[in-house]
Amino acid sequence: MGFSVTTLIFAMVGLIASLSTRICFNKGPSANLLHLTLVMTATVCCWMMWAIVYLAQMNPLIVPILSEGE
């Protein structure tokens, strides 16, 4: 449940950021496209970083080995 909920949160934040960028920085079609591209790229990169860290904790590569005394 945590993965899908947080993915939806990232999608909503990206949508809100795109709309606010479009409203606040409306300087023409090419500038709007650049701003939209930058916001979407930043949103996807942040989501991918979060997803990689989240999924890496589910199946770690290095498994702790307990000694006999512990």
Side-chain angles (χ1 to χ4, degrees):
M1 181 172 144
F3 190 82
S4 60
V5 171
T6 308
T7 299
L8 286 174
I9 291 171
F10 269 104
M12 288 187 327
V13 167
L15 184 65
I16 291 169
S18 297
L19 291 174
S20 64
T21 302
R22 177 108 173 148
I23 292 169
C24 295
F25 302 107
N26 192 6
K27 295 186 178 185
S30 62
N32 287 341
L33 181 62
L34 175 65
H35 294 153
L36 180 65
T37 304
L38 291 173
V39 168
M40 285 292 117
T41 303
T43 303
V44 169
C45 288
C46 288
W47 175 81
M48 283 180 57
M49 184 63 192
W50 172 83
I52 289 168
V53 170
Y54 183 82
L55 293 174
Q57 294 177 13
M58 296 177 92
N59 191 13
L61 294 175
I62 301 172
V63 179
I65 300 172
L66 296 175
S67 63
E68 293 295 324
E70 295 179 11

